[in-house]
Amino acid sequence: MIRCWRLDDSRQTLVLGSTKDHLAEVVFWGPRLPDDEDLETVFRANGIDVTGGMLDSNPELSICPEATRTFPGQPGLILRDGSGTPLLPKFCFASAEQSTNAITLAFRDEMNGLTYTASFAINPETHVIEAKAVLESDRPTHLHWLSAPVFPGPQLADEMIDFSGRWCGEFQMNRTPWSPGMRYRENRTGRTGHEHFPGLILPCRGATNASGNAYAFHYGWSGGHRMVAEELPDGRRQIQFGHAARVESAAQTRFETATLYAMFSDDGLNGCGVAFQRHLRDVVVRFPDPDRPRPVHYNCWEAVYFNHNLPELKEIATIAAGLGAERFVLDDGWFGNRDDDTRALSDWEVDPRKYPDGLTPLIEHCHSLGMTFGIWFEPEMINPDSDIHRKHPDWALGGEDQILGRYQKALNMALPEVRDFLFERIGKVLAEHDIDYIKWDHNRVLPLPDAAQTRGSYELIDRLRAAYPRTEIESCASGGGRIDFGILGRTHRVWLSDSNDAIERLRMQHNAAIFLPMAVTGSHVGPRVCHTSGRTLGIRFRAWVAAQRHMGFEMDPRELTEDEAQVLRDVTAWWKDNRDWMFRADILRLDSPDPAVIAEQHLAEGGGRFVVFAGKAETSKQIAPRPLQLTRLSHDAMYRIELINREDASHLSRGDQILKSKAITVSGGYLMNHGLTLPWSFPETMWVIEGTLV
């Protein structure tokens, strides 16, 4: 007997099928099929032939491949019973529930007392599929590995794109050719990680940013993940995502994966990016006040570090407000005896030496300037040199002789007493002060990966969110070490990187846009000399790179010349004038013919306006700029195009290129097929082009 199910939106169809009561498998995923397509025929047509050197029939590449059915690749489930004996489940169909946009399939192994449930839901607006697996056992069982529902990899994909990185160098794209065997990536740091962002793109042959078919995945979990992209001996391909292996330390009767977000695009990597951006912004993130414009931040970290001084902070706040800042964020150093990073983490009480009258005078000063107030915490961490560690050394996760990270250990977030303590201390600060924002940091990897740690952190954030629903939270982990849809279901902004180097930011923001919209991506104008790279960059470039995302400043504003301050005021004013429509704009990566130019197009809802940012990261190999093709415009419509920062043209831009002197009106067909020919520019500069439908 063959059973089949399908999910559809306007773009795609997902077909699952099962025979002989075995686990279901994805037999079709791609462009939408006709409504009257015979699914049983699709299921049968998906089967592959058998020849010499093969088994007499092919094991299913199911949503949870089973070792017991002679599957030749990585199984989707590895577990042991309470005594440590390996279990080899053999699941049989139990039930199916289907609604318009969702399917839940349950399978049972009576002999081992196990139930496997897979759920799939498709969002008709964003085109993202959410998939999750749950394993339930009649008795406590030890889990080694559980994959989210397994998807097949496309046969026309010649390569896979995944993401690596480091501190101050997040979201680096890797392209790896498909070949027989397996690409196995695992992050065992206990957080999402700079090193292995849990995302994968599979572009089909010929796909670019703006055209062609592509498939994309993101695993929404903050505790470390495992990815398997495997080509079987028979040529079939499977994609597995789940928690990092062996992170469930105790035998349990229920395990579940995080949500795997999957989507198919018929218009290149931008189709993947737009789907993820919209789904994150409109479905995953829950803003306390969605109608409130995103405020311009000022963060004091790179201005004062630990040297908090109230008169100086007031002076800095006054200047920042004059530049256009709307939120002042007090970073590390306000609590305990925190004069450097060696002490006081977890002693979350205001330092009376630095703030003899508490935080209220600084908060009131910021409010008088029209700014709201935010504050830094690192709740999951503890310094050995702290009052709380001396009182509760057993609260620290890991051994006494562990290697410290930034002179700190991690608190054991699985302990209810730890979460209660943190809720009380953080809640007291929030209750006693008018604070609308938390920068929530996580500055070291864990001594061992542990899923209970992540669940404990989630529980604490959820509890604080319920108690203080108007307070926004930013996820920071030495910059971009905890960015994923799991943490963003509880927070409202991410700190993409600790690097304020605009060259590095330009690249990172461009790649991260495959997953992250402007609305949640913090980007700050850093100091003239970058503190993490030593590079000196001009204020125009620094300001425009920050204006690509949720804009802020993080520098000592007293270093600015009057000319620099005016540039920053002007760019900030432009960002404020445009932030409302940019909040909901799609960020489209442009296929630049010049590798030195990193360009993107922010296209408003409805397509009536856009802005192009074309940043030059290095010296071009050719002497004159190549035309930059735009995307997703109406071919026959006319657009008014204006280079809004034409005054930034250098003395070496000597021609009479029209955009340097006036706005032009051209068709969408011209912009998409020939493209914009921009003026010559130095490296480390940005052209900003506004387009409006005439």
Side-chain angles (χ1 to χ4, degrees):
M1 178 181 179
I2 295 175
R3 296 181 176 89
C4 292
W5 306 269
R6 68 182 285 175
L7 286 176
D8 301 277
D9 62 19
S10 60
R11 172 188 292 176
Q12 65 191 319
T13 295
L14 177 75
V15 179
L16 297 119
S18 169
T19 185
K20 301 177 184 177
D21 283 342
H22 290 188
L23 280 168
E25 55 186 315
V26 175
V27 296
F28 178 84
W29 182 30
R32 182 175 175 125
L33 297 177
D35 291 344
D36 59 355
E37 188 82 56
D38 186 278
L39 299 187
E40 183 172 335
T41 300
V42 170
F43 178 87
R44 291 181 180 275
N46 183 63
I48 60 174
D49 202 358
V50 175
T51 186
M54 299 176 71
L55 297 172
D56 295 339
S57 63
N58 292 296
E60 296 99 336
L61 200 175
S62 74
I63 54 178
C64 186
E66 296 164 289
T68 192
R69 299 194 192 274
T70 63
F71 182 70
Q74 293 295 304
L77 174 64
I78 304 173
L79 72 165
R80 296 174 286 119
D81 67 16
S83 68
T85 303
L87 296 176
L88 293 174
K90 186 171 68 174
F91 290 106
C92 295
F93 178 79
S95 65
E97 297 179 11
Q98 183 161 12
S99 61
T100 302
N101 297 316
I103 299 170
T104 300
L105 304 176
F107 299 83
R108 177 73 177 168
D109 178 352
E110 291 291 353
M111 180 177 295
N112 291 303
L114 300 170
T115 300
Y116 171 85
T117 305
S119 59
F120 301 83
I122 194 167
N123 187 299
E125 302 298 326
T126 67
H127 307 294
V128 170
I129 297 170
E130 296 187 358
K132 179 181 285 191
V134 175
L135 179 70
E136 295 173 292
S137 175
D138 294 349
R139 59 189 184 278
T141 304
H142 292 281
L143 181 69
H144 174 95
W145 165 245
L146 174 62
S147 174
V150 174
F151 285 78
Q155 293 291 306
L156 275 177
D158 294 321
E159 65 181 5
M160 61 190 81
I161 302 172
D162 55 24
F163 299 82
S164 63
R166 58 170 174 80
W167 178 69
C168 288
E170 293 85 343
F171 282 94
Q172 300 176 28
M173 293 177 68
N174 305 305
R175 295 177 180 265
T176 305
W178 276 99
S179 62
M182 177 176 63
R183 179 157 174 79
Y184 178 109
R185 298 193 65 181
E186 187 167 32
N187 170 21
R188 301 193 62 80
T189 65
R191 61 183 184 182
T192 319
H194 302 80
E195 305 82 4
H196 303 301
F197 174 77
L200 177 67
I201 313 293
L202 301 176
C204 293
R205 192 169 299 157
T208 66
N209 281 322
S211 65
N213 289 353
Y215 295 80
F217 303 88
H218 169 65
Y219 189 64
W221 172 249
S222 309
H225 78 284
R226 168 180 168 177
M227 181 199 83
V228 172
E230 183 177 29
E231 183 172 300
L232 303 176
D234 57 35
R236 291 178 296 173
R237 295 165 172 175
Q238 67 161 331
I239 307 300
Q240 295 186 9
F241 273 95
H243 295 6
R246 306 183 306 279
V247 295
E248 299 289 359
S249 57
Q252 300 176 53
T253 58
R254 189 180 191 278
F255 303 94
E256 68 176 84
T257 69
T259 300
L260 176 63
Y261 300 87
M263 57 84 51
F264 163 75
S265 164
D266 58 5
D267 56 355
L269 272 63
N270 282 336
C272 304
V274 168
F276 283 135
Q277 291 167 31
R278 293 180 180 181
H279 197 77
L280 179 63
R281 183 194 65 218
D282 298 340
V283 178
V284 176
V285 177
R286 292 162 292 162
F287 293 102
D289 185 357
D291 296 327
R292 178 189 181 187
R294 305 301 279 154
V296 177
H297 276 226
Y298 176 76
N299 184 289
C300 70
W301 176 242
E302 294 194 16
V304 300
Y305 291 101
F306 297 102
N307 299 317
H308 289 212
N309 173 281
L310 185 57
E312 190 174 19
L313 287 169
K314 285 184 174 181
E315 178 188 9
I316 289 171
T318 300
I319 299 172
L323 294 169
E326 298 165 307
R327 172 182 283 152
F328 184 97
V329 180
L330 186 67
D331 213 286
D332 194 355
W334 58 268
F335 56 92
N337 60 342
R338 183 76 163 171
D339 295 330
D340 55 39
D341 58 3
T342 67
R343 69 192 75 181
L345 272 184
S346 73
D347 295 339
W348 300 113
E349 295 177 320
V350 178
D351 184 352
R353 301 171 306 154
K354 299 176 182 178
Y355 299 95
D357 298 313
L359 297 176
T360 299
L362 179 58
I363 294 173
E364 290 180 345
H365 179 72
C366 292
H367 287 172
S368 73
L369 298 167
M371 292 192 290
T372 61
F373 192 83
I375 196 166
W376 181 93
F377 284 97
E378 193 173 3
E380 296 137 293
M381 300 296 157
I382 187 168
N383 287 125
D385 184 4
S386 66
D387 294 341
I388 299 303
H389 190 278
R390 284 183 282 271
K391 185 176 181 180
H392 295 288
D394 55 310
W395 284 4
L397 184 68
E400 293 181 4
D401 61 346
Q402 65 179 275
I403 298 173
L404 301 182
R406 205 188 184 215
Y407 308 101
Q408 64 197 48
K409 299 178 182 179
L411 284 167
N412 187 345
M413 298 299 293
L415 298 176
E417 57 269 34
V418 169
R419 299 196 299 270
D420 289 345
F421 162 77
L422 291 170
F423 179 82
E424 185 275 329
R425 283 289 177 95
I426 297 171
K428 188 173 188 292
V429 175
L430 297 179
E432 293 179 354
H433 301 91
D434 191 354
I435 293 172
D436 78 337
Y437 190 81
I438 294 174
K439 180 181 177 182
W440 187 299
D441 218 333
H442 188 290
N443 274 312
R444 67 153 290 172
V445 300
L446 300 188
L448 69 163
D450 184 354
Q453 180 78 4
T454 303
R455 288 192 291 265
S457 296
Y458 282 175
E459 192 275 341
L460 174 62
I461 298 173
D462 291 344
R463 189 175 171 189
L464 284 165
R465 285 283 311 281
Y468 303 95
R470 305 298 297 173
T471 302
E472 290 191 18
I473 302 176
E474 172 187 290
S475 175
C476 176
S478 300
R482 187 157 62 179
I483 296 176
D484 61 82
F485 286 20
I487 197 67
L488 277 162
R490 297 161 168 86
T491 59
H492 313 93
R493 189 183 197 248
V494 294
W495 185 229
L496 188 64
S497 177
D498 276 346
S499 174
N500 278 322
D501 183 311
I503 288 286
E504 302 301 326
R505 279 269 167 177
L506 182 69
R507 296 188 181 99
M508 286 186 279
Q509 290 175 178
H510 191 64
N511 293 342
I514 297 176
F515 302 94
L516 304 177
M518 168 271 200
V520 304
T521 309
S523 188
H524 295 173
V525 183
R528 185 183 301 117
V529 179
C530 178
H531 291 189
T532 56
S533 70
R535 186 182 276 137
T536 301
L537 294 168
I539 187 63
R540 286 174 172 80
F541 185 59
R542 285 182 280 146
W544 282 120
V545 169
Q548 290 180 288
R549 298 297 187 267
H550 183 186
M551 188 176 186
F553 322 140
E554 188 166 346
M555 64 167 84
D556 188 338
R558 296 170 297 184
E559 77 170 24
L560 296 171
T561 67
E562 182 48 42
D563 287 345
E564 289 173 325
Q566 188 58 51
V567 169
L568 189 51
R569 282 191 289 267
D570 291 344
V571 175
T572 303
W574 178 90
W575 189 84
K576 289 180 178 180
D577 288 343
N578 290 274
R579 61 182 162 188
D580 287 346
W581 72 263
M582 287 176 65
F583 178 91
R584 301 199 60 81
D586 298 327
I587 303 174
L588 306 170
R589 291 157 46 99
L590 297 179
D591 291 308
S592 173
D594 182 354
V597 176
I598 299 173
E600 61 187 37
Q601 174 184 334
H602 295 221
L603 183 63
E605 277 188 311
R609 65 190 303 181
F610 61 84
V611 61
V612 172
F613 296 95
K616 194 167 184 181
E618 57 191 2
T619 303
S620 298
K621 291 184 178 179
Q622 81 286 344
I623 193 168
R626 302 181 191 275
L628 180 65
Q629 292 176 316
L630 307 191
T631 188
R632 290 199 178 193
L633 303 178
S634 297
H635 184 276
D636 296 328
M638 303 301 291
Y639 294 86
R640 182 182 185 275
I641 304 297
E642 182 173 12
L643 181 65
I644 66 169
N645 61 332
R646 61 174 71 109
E647 69 278 2
D648 291 350
S650 78
H651 66 285
L652 288 181
S653 175
R654 300 184 296 129
D656 59 356
Q657 213 277 336
I658 190 170
L659 286 175
K660 291 195 298 183
S661 59
K662 61 185 293 186
I664 62 173
T665 299
V666 290
S667 69
Y670 175 84
L671 293 170
M672 292 188 291
N673 292 287
H674 179 275
L676 281 174
T677 302
L678 296 169
W680 187 92
S681 61
F682 282 119
E684 302 172 1
T685 56
M686 176 88 79
W687 290 126
V688 184
I689 304 100
E690 288 185 344
T692 308
L693 187 64
V694 176

